Amino acid sequence: SLALRLLSAAVQRGLELDAVACNAAASACEKAGEWVASIGLFGEALLRELPPDGRTYSAVISACESGGRWELALHLWADMRHGGLSPDAITYSAAVSACEKGGQWERALALLGDAQTQGVETDAVIWNAAISACEKGQQWESALHLLQNMRQTRLIPDVISYNAVIFACSSQQQWLRSMALLDEMLLQDIEPDSTTLTSLLMEAEHHKLIDHEVDLLLKLCEAGACGALLANAAASRLLAAARPRRARVLLRKLATGGRWDRISETLWLSCEHRFGRLGATPPLRAPAPREPARPASGSAYATELNLLQYVISAAVPGDPASVCEAMERFSEEGWAARSSWSKVAGGSKAGVLSAALRGMQCVGNVLEIGTYCGYTAIQMAAVLPGVGIKTLEVVPMHVVVARNAIALAGLADRVDVFTGHSKHVLARWTRSSARSRPSFSILYMDRWGSQYHEDFLVLEQHNMLHPHAVIVADNVLWTGAALFLWHVFTGGAYKSRLVRVREVATGSEDCMSVSVRFGPDSGVRGDHRDTDAASVPQTLPHRLLRLHLESEDMRVRVFGAGRRVSAEERSEFASSMTSRMLEQMARIGIAPLNADGRELCTDRTDAAASAMGAAKRHQGRAVLLDPEPARARGPRRSPPRALRRPGEVRPGP
């Protein structure tokens, strides 16, 4: 913005602009990711009859590529070549990256070959972009060929190079090649990152290659607590696959190696309960609880590992309520001390979710998108006894932590944690036959809200949602779930409500949405308002679309390479987005309810069916509140607790 202001000031002072000034401003826009401003400068230069040179095209093409406008970047590339200009290495790299984003793998290979023919010195960036383009085009052989050719140019492949080839091979069921590439990485002292592990674990889980999956987890085991967590996660997967003998062997190795803990003991007892003793004697009991760990900075997953250590020390094994309460305490004490965002959906959020799920007849599985450390999966498993839960998490270490927490709660046989991004996991499920494709009665989404509608539409279009499914979405305001909210509140197929909640640690306000789908035979049209339906726009308001695009831009900045967003900037964005989302929701007649017992409409048969109660925090416990008046419901009874420990006395009236 400073570069644009300086350029504008120069024009106002009557100074004559030249190509150097325009190129400098375009380069500044490219570095800031402002592709629109970069295109504007390009047009301004043409109007002033300043012919663009190679640097101009390079900056503008790079800005469009960074902004995800690959079609525009390739159009500018063609215009540059038509003008007789010779691109440099940076321009080639931006053009190949644009092809990669657009899935144009053949054009990416052609550009890479053209660069070599023209004698342009290529670097690892352009080779990695070409390999990634082949991966997106499902061309694993071409990706592997590029990796081999890359070495011949005396370039050293890095973790990005290997990740793209591993994902290309594993997605095409070339599992042995993927594992060979992992071994090659380790031999060359290239440390696998989260993307590497996600690719391999996701494919192993999808193809039910339990032995390969366990071997991968064990290969990554390290000395200390992290190694024990990986081994526990592997044992949990073996028990879920009905492989008790290998699970016992693995757990016994933990005991003899001095890494046996409460989770290992819980898994052993669960194995005995489900499969009998099989002639095996249990190892020694887990050591006594240690002083609960405190949040600490350090490695990338220090918070999650400290949370799990706290839960291991403070919770009662086999008691879901105790595990969830320990997670909440850690969140309140740890995250609140740093005034940061808690990813544990406890407090009023847990009450709203429990209220939305209680009393419903679940005829299919539960799907959670965004496991994190397993808190909500444990909560839902406790609220819905006997119901299977599938939960998706993109970060492998979070998967390991969640499987350990779920095992400690005694729920490893009912909760399946899948590794991978939701768009990849759901895509694989959709390619299954209609008979083997999962169907869900409950959907809970807890990731960046501007992405909710993509997952939701996949589930809808492939008939993976039950006709009367309940859909709960968290953080729909500050993460800009504009497209999703528009769909469930105005589409006519859902009965939806917006409920105010507060974050556990910071106390900041947001909303959860609760929707119930109406099947074609229900005769009910979902409606969220008491206003005239004709007053609601039939197309998405441009203001909501703008909020969606702003949220997408922030998501890229938060989770993209470099993570250029400070805590203060993120907090300011959340506050502004929340207020503007509420304003736009009010424009179309959507007003949030307070989680104080007001009606939360989740009818499953007709509009007159009994409403389910909202939830609020009362004396530190999440309770359900009956919205019906006392004279209609008879004598008052003690409200059931969402997650109550065995033997705990219920609160009085």
Side-chain angles (χ1 to χ4, degrees):
S1 61
L2 177 60
L4 294 177
R5 289 199 299 269
L6 290 173
L7 200 64
S8 177
V11 173
Q12 292 175 1
R13 291 176 179 270
L15 299 177
E16 184 176 350
L17 298 183
D18 57 12
V20 175
C22 289
N23 288 347
S27 180
C29 292
E30 180 264 322
K31 290 181 173 60
E34 298 290 344
W35 69 272
V36 176
S38 182
I39 288 292
L41 282 172
F42 185 82
E44 183 71 18
L46 292 177
L47 289 175
R48 293 179 177 272
E49 297 183 352
L50 295 174
D53 57 15
R55 289 191 59 189
T56 311
Y57 275 105
S58 180
V60 179
I61 290 173
S62 296
C64 293
E65 178 270 323
S66 300
R69 308 294 169 171
W70 64 271
E71 304 100 325
L72 188 55
L74 293 180
H75 177 77
L76 288 167
W77 167 269
D79 188 63
M80 178 183 182
R81 298 308 303 269
H82 182 73
L85 296 176
S86 299
D88 57 10
I90 296 175
T91 316
Y92 269 110
S93 179
V96 174
S97 296
C99 292
E100 179 260 325
K101 286 183 171 59
Q104 304 292 314
W105 66 273
E106 291 175 309
R107 298 181 70 174
L109 293 182
L111 285 171
L112 178 58
D114 186 56
Q116 293 176 304
T117 302
Q118 297 296 326
V120 176
E121 185 177 353
T122 58
D123 57 9
V125 175
I126 188 172
W127 281 89
N128 288 344
I131 293 172
S132 296
C134 293
E135 173 261 307
K136 287 183 170 58
Q138 300 181 355
Q139 302 295 317
W140 68 269
E141 292 173 307
S142 296
L144 191 59
H145 183 68
L146 283 176
L147 184 68
Q148 295 168 351
N149 288 348
M150 185 178 180
R151 299 191 191 97
Q152 296 175 3
T153 62
R154 298 184 179 180
L155 290 174
I156 301 176
D158 55 16
V159 65
I160 298 175
S161 316
Y162 277 102
N163 282 346
V165 182
I166 286 175
F167 191 82
C169 291
S170 60
S171 63
Q172 298 301 307
Q173 303 184 30
Q174 299 294 319
W175 180 256
L176 294 179
R177 294 182 187 273
S178 298
M179 293 299 291
L181 287 167
L182 176 63
D183 292 335
E184 187 177 306
M185 288 180 67
L186 297 175
L187 287 174
Q188 297 184 15
D189 293 329
I190 300 176
E191 183 178 357
D193 63 3
S194 177
T195 303
T196 317
L197 304 182
T198 299
S199 302
L200 293 171
L201 290 172
M202 179 175 62
E203 295 304 324
E205 293 165 9
H206 177 70
H207 296 292
K208 296 181 173 57
L209 303 172
I210 184 65
D211 289 320
H212 291 297
E213 180 186 348
V214 170
D215 290 341
L216 177 60
L217 289 171
L218 296 181
K219 182 178 293 189
L220 300 170
C221 279
E222 301 172 352
C226 192
L229 298 183
L230 287 164
N232 283 334
S236 176
R237 289 291 295 157
L238 288 168
L239 291 178
R243 302 283 296 277
R245 293 189 181 276
R246 189 177 180 189
R248 280 194 170 104
V249 170
L250 181 56
L251 292 172
R252 189 169 291 281
K253 285 182 178 179
L254 284 177
T256 56
R259 295 186 292 176
W260 175 270
D261 59 16
R262 280 181 158 184
I263 299 173
S264 310
E265 182 179 5
T266 304
L267 287 168
W268 185 278
L269 295 175
S270 174
C271 183
E272 286 189 340
H273 176 73
R274 293 176 58 194
F275 303 103
R277 300 193 63 171
L278 300 177
T281 57
L284 297 175
R285 293 183 62 83
R290 293 172 287 177
E291 183 68 21
R294 297 297 175 185
S297 59
S299 65
Y301 305 108
T303 299
E304 291 77 20
L305 294 174
N306 283 333
L307 181 149
L308 184 59
Q309 187 60 53
Y310 182 97
V311 172
I312 293 173
S313 302
V316 178
D319 184 355
S322 175
V323 172
C324 286
E325 288 168 1
M327 286 187 172
E328 284 203 38
R329 283 198 301 272
F330 182 90
S331 299
E332 292 167 355
E333 298 172 9
W335 273 297
R338 297 178 300 175
S339 299
S340 61
W341 174 45
S342 168
K343 296 182 182 179
V344 172
S348 59
K349 294 184 175 185
V352 169
L353 180 60
S354 296
L357 303 186
R358 281 190 180 276
M360 71 167 295
Q361 294 181 353
C362 190
V363 296
N365 290 321
V366 176
L367 174 62
E368 177 188 27
I369 300 178
T371 313
Y372 190 48
C373 292
Y375 173 90
T376 307
I378 295 172
Q379 182 199 12
M380 291 191 293
V383 172
L384 301 169
V387 176
I389 296 175
K390 298 180 185 296
T391 176
L392 314 182
E393 174 56 49
V394 69
V395 182
M397 186 52 69
H398 293 173
V399 172
V400 170
V401 171
R403 285 177 179 167
N404 276 265
I406 291 166
L408 184 65
L411 298 170
D413 59 330
R414 289 180 46 212
V415 181
D416 292 323
V417 186
F418 292 89
T419 311
H421 196 286
S422 55
K423 68 179 180 181
H424 296 139
V425 178
L426 294 180
R428 281 157 176 73
W429 285 351
T430 60
R431 290 197 289 267
S432 304
S433 63
R435 179 174 298 181
S436 60
R437 189 179 304 159
S439 176
F440 303 102
S441 292
I442 298 169
L443 170 64
Y444 175 70
M445 297 186 291
D446 186 11
R447 65 186 193 101
W448 199 272
S450 61
Q451 297 281 293
Y452 285 167
H453 73 289
E454 294 186 4
D455 296 335
F456 192 63
L457 290 179
V458 170
L459 292 167
E460 273 193 329
Q461 293 168 359
H462 291 86
N463 298 318
M464 295 171 68
L465 289 177
H466 189 267
H468 305 294
V470 174
I471 299 96
V472 183
D474 193 13
N475 297 323
V476 294
L477 295 185
W478 88 261
T479 58
L483 299 189
F484 167 76
L485 291 178
W486 174 260
H487 185 77
V488 296
F489 276 91
T490 68
Y494 296 88
K495 194 83 166 181
S496 301
R497 286 293 183 268
L498 208 59
V499 187
R500 295 181 186 271
V501 291
R502 290 192 177 276
E503 295 291 343
V504 172
T506 63
S508 58
E509 183 180 286
D510 205 318
C511 280
M512 298 176 73
S513 69
V514 181
S515 306
V516 173
R517 191 183 191 195
F518 289 97
D521 58 343
S522 65
V524 178
R525 174 180 171 81
D527 195 4
H528 62 282
R529 305 167 307 276
D530 297 325
T531 58
D532 184 5
S535 65
V536 180
Q538 297 302 307
T539 58
L540 178 71
H542 73 276
R543 291 186 179 90
L544 280 179
L545 179 59
R546 183 182 303 170
L547 291 176
H548 165 74
L549 295 176
E550 287 184 22
S551 179
E552 273 292 276
D553 179 66
M554 177 58 71
R555 180 185 66 84
V556 172
R557 294 177 59 195
V558 169
F559 297 107
R563 303 195 178 191
R564 300 166 290 181
V565 181
S566 65
E568 293 77 10
E569 187 177 1
R570 184 166 175 164
S571 177
E572 291 176 3
F573 171 83
S575 177
S576 172
M577 180 63 71
T578 298
S579 62
R580 288 185 293 157
M581 282 287 293
L582 284 172
E583 178 183 350
Q584 295 308 315
M585 291 295 103
R587 285 177 178 268
I588 57 176
I590 301 173
L593 307 177
N594 294 317
D596 58 0
R598 294 180 62 182
E599 184 177 287
L600 204 151
C601 194
T602 54
D603 316 11
R604 285 178 297 280
T605 53
D606 55 60
S610 61
M612 299 195 317
K616 78 172 183 179
R617 298 289 290 172
H618 178 63
Q619 296 179 354
R621 295 187 292 266
V623 298
L624 302 183
L625 302 179
D626 193 338
E628 297 178 342
R631 63 178 180 274
R633 67 174 183 260
R636 182 178 180 180
R637 298 179 180 178
S638 299
R641 184 175 177 183
L643 291 173
R644 184 171 57 88
R645 293 186 182 181
E648 182 179 356
V649 179
R650 293 187 179 185

